């Protein structure tokens, strides 16, 4: 067996920590107010204990304990401690104290009380170090999974919006509508934001609101003379940040369900405001008729994605209220935003 596999992941910080730990433990171990000088026997005895702890820390722990082979681990530790005790009694004491301590054996209990404190301290600190490293790895893994899930949820939003508006653009192009260039410009602006500007985890609130305006104007072309769309903002400040594409799903759903169920009399009302404490209030009302196209409005894939993103990005920092009453679908989302660098 070679020690290389167990030492190859040892970092410089761990080596420095182990050196400092051994120095401190040695000073406490060798201190004797009746004999202030450091004796040679104390040095070699401590090295005997430290070598045993080294084998436990970098061989037995990773080979058996961390592999959940607990019986083998404790059996090996027992054998190793016995060897350490025997070496001290049969070799070291014979060399340093041949006429006194070497002539009698104080007993297993006394020998264990002499050996185990040092080994337990050295092994305990190594175990704590490994546990802290594992915890950091778990946190990094959780963060990686969280970021991957957010990217997946965000990617589900973009294609849905793109396909819907390409279909609209195709219809206007077939009809040779004069609104076609305007649709292309709006779609280009929105897609630029969705593909490039919102790659970050958070974006400036002003930039997100501007995207929502363009997004609303683009979707408003679907309604034409069949209803009214209102988009109002209040007290928006650029020094706050928000997760991109959170709010657009509600607006997209409002247009989708209103236009799918109503031939006329459509209304969509969007109000966004920011209070002095940094709480963003988003309200969206839209009309709809009870038809097969609007069954279970609150259970769509897009809304499920938003709820999941809110749980990941704004845990304990958001409240969402959804109500369906008298052919009115109402969403109120309250988000606690944070200030970013301007």
């Amino acid at each position: 067996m070679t020690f290389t596999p167990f030492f190859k992941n040892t970092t410089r910080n761990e080596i420095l920590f182990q050196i400092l730990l051994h120095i401190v433990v040695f000073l406490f171990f060798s201190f004797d107010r009746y004999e202030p000088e450091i004796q040679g026997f104390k040095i070699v005895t401590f090295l005997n204990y430290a070598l045993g702890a080294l084998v436990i820390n970098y061989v037995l722990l990773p080979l058996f304990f961390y592999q959940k082979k607990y019986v083998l681990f404790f059996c090996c530790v027992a054998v190793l401690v016995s060897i350490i005790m025997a070496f001290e009694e049969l070799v070291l004491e014979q060399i340093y104290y041949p006429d006194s301590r070497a002539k009698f054996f104080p007993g297993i209990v006394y020998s264990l009380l002499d050996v185990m404190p040092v080994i337990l301290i050295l092994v305990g600190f190594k175990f704590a170090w490994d546990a802290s490293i594992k915890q950091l790895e778990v946190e990094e893994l959780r963060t990686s999974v969280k970021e991957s899930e957010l990217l997946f949820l965000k990617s589900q939003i973009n294609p849905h919006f793109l396909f819907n508006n390409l279909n609209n653009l195709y219809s206007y192009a077939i009809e040779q509508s004069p609104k076609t260039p305007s649709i292309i410009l709006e779609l280009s602006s929105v897609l630029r934001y969705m593909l490039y500007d919102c790659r970050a985890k958070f974006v400036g609130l002003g930039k997100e609101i501007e995207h929502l305006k363009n997004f609303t104007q683009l979707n408003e072309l679907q309604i034409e003379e069949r209803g009214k769309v209102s988009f109002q903002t209040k007290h928006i400040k650029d020094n706050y940040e928000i997760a991109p594409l959170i709010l657009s799903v509600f607006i997209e759903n409002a247009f989708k369900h209103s236009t799918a169920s109503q031939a006329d009399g459509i209304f969509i009302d969007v109000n966004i405001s920011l209070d002095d404490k940094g709480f963003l209030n988003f309200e969206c009302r839209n009309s709809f008729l009870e038809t097969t196209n609007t069954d279970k409005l609150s259970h769509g894939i897009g809304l499920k994605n938003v709820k999941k993103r809110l749980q990941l990005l704004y845990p304990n920092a958001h409240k969402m209220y959804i109500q369906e009453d008298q052919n009115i679908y109402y969403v109120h989302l309250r988000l606690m935003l944070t200030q970013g660098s301007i």
Side-chain angles (χ1 to χ4, degrees):
M1 180 185 300
T2 174
F3 290 108
T4 303
F6 307 112
F7 284 104
K8 66 179 182 179
N9 294 325
T10 304
T11 63
R12 179 182 178 184
N13 289 338
E14 182 178 351
I15 294 174
L16 294 175
F17 170 77
Q18 287 291 339
I19 292 174
L20 180 62
L21 174 65
H22 280 68
I23 292 174
V24 173
V25 174
F26 172 72
L27 291 176
F28 278 97
F29 171 76
S30 61
F31 175 76
D32 189 340
R33 62 179 179 176
Y34 300 107
E35 297 179 359
E37 71 278 0
I38 298 178
Q39 301 175 355
F41 177 75
K42 290 284 187 178
I43 296 176
V44 294
T45 303
F46 179 80
L47 291 176
N48 183 34
Y49 300 164
L51 181 60
L54 184 71
V55 174
I56 296 174
N57 289 339
Y58 294 96
V59 178
L60 300 184
L61 278 177
L63 193 61
F64 298 122
F65 191 85
Y66 295 152
Q67 303 300 323
K68 299 183 179 180
K69 300 177 181 179
Y70 302 121
V71 176
L72 277 174
F73 172 77
F74 286 109
C75 288
C76 291
V77 170
V79 172
L80 181 62
V81 171
S82 299
I83 294 174
I84 293 172
M85 292 168 51
F87 183 75
E88 180 178 351
E89 294 291 335
L90 301 177
V91 178
L92 298 183
E93 290 189 0
Q94 293 292 336
I95 295 174
Y96 287 92
Y97 301 102
D99 299 325
S100 55
R101 295 175 58 173
K103 290 185 176 182
F104 68 93
F105 179 61
I108 295 178
V109 175
Y110 179 84
S111 296
L112 284 174
L113 292 175
D114 192 31
V115 172
M116 292 308 296
V118 174
I119 293 180
L120 287 176
I121 291 173
L122 297 178
V123 173
F125 274 94
K126 170 60 178 174
F127 184 81
W129 181 278
D130 290 345
S132 65
I133 296 299
K134 288 294 182 183
Q135 183 62 32
L136 289 175
E137 292 176 353
V138 169
E139 292 299 327
E140 291 177 357
L141 181 60
R142 287 177 180 173
T143 302
S144 178
V145 171
K146 183 177 178 179
E147 291 176 353
S148 298
E149 188 170 2
L150 287 172
L151 289 174
F152 172 73
L153 293 173
K154 191 185 294 185
S155 69
Q156 287 184 306
I157 299 173
N158 295 349
H160 181 70
F161 166 82
L162 179 60
F163 292 142
N164 283 347
N165 284 278
L166 283 177
N167 288 334
N168 294 333
L169 179 59
Y170 176 77
S171 299
Y172 278 97
I174 289 294
E175 297 173 0
Q176 297 183 350
S177 169
K179 295 182 179 180
T180 302
S182 145
I183 298 176
I184 294 175
L185 288 176
E186 294 290 346
L187 182 59
S188 174
S189 175
V190 171
L191 288 179
R192 185 182 301 110
Y193 178 82
M194 298 175 75
L195 294 175
Y196 299 106
D197 296 338
C198 70
R199 287 182 177 180
K201 186 176 180 180
F202 294 97
V203 298
L205 179 59
K207 183 178 290 186
E208 178 70 10
I209 295 300
E210 183 64 27
H211 160 71
L212 291 176
K213 288 180 180 178
N214 293 331
F215 186 85
T216 302
Q217 292 173 2
L218 179 62
N219 284 281
E220 189 176 358
L221 296 172
Q222 304 176 43
I223 295 179
E224 295 182 331
E225 304 300 326
R226 294 189 293 158
K228 182 180 178 182
V229 177
S230 172
F231 184 95
Q232 297 182 350
T233 61
K234 186 178 181 181
H235 302 311
I236 301 301
K237 299 178 181 179
D238 291 334
N239 60 324
Y240 282 89
E241 293 183 333
I242 186 174
L245 306 179
I246 286 282
L247 306 178
S248 58
V249 173
F250 299 110
I251 298 176
E252 182 180 6
N253 283 343
F255 279 98
K256 180 174 63 177
H257 296 300
S258 292
T259 56
S261 64
Q262 294 179 259
D264 54 21
I266 298 172
F267 86 86
I268 297 172
D269 185 15
V270 179
N271 288 279
I272 307 175
S273 62
L274 183 71
D275 65 21
D276 295 334
K277 296 181 179 180
F279 283 95
L280 183 77
N281 287 284
F282 172 85
E283 295 180 283
C284 182
R285 293 179 178 85
N286 68 273
S287 59
F288 74 96
L289 296 179
E290 294 287 352
T291 68
T292 56
N293 291 328
T294 57
D295 287 342
K296 300 180 180 179
L297 296 180
S298 61
H299 300 286
I301 295 177
L303 191 57
K304 288 182 180 179
N305 288 345
V306 169
K307 289 180 178 179
K308 185 64 175 177
R309 291 185 68 201
L310 288 171
Q311 291 173 3
L312 293 171
L313 293 171
Y314 295 97
N316 304 318
H318 77 279
K319 290 184 179 180
M320 185 166 61
Y321 173 74
I322 298 177
Q323 181 184 29
E324 297 177 49
D325 185 35
Q326 298 180 353
N327 295 332
I328 300 295
Y329 188 70
Y330 172 70
V331 177
H332 180 199
L333 177 63
R334 182 174 172 85
L335 288 177
M336 183 174 68
L337 304 184
T338 57
Q339 296 190 33
S341 57
I342 302 177

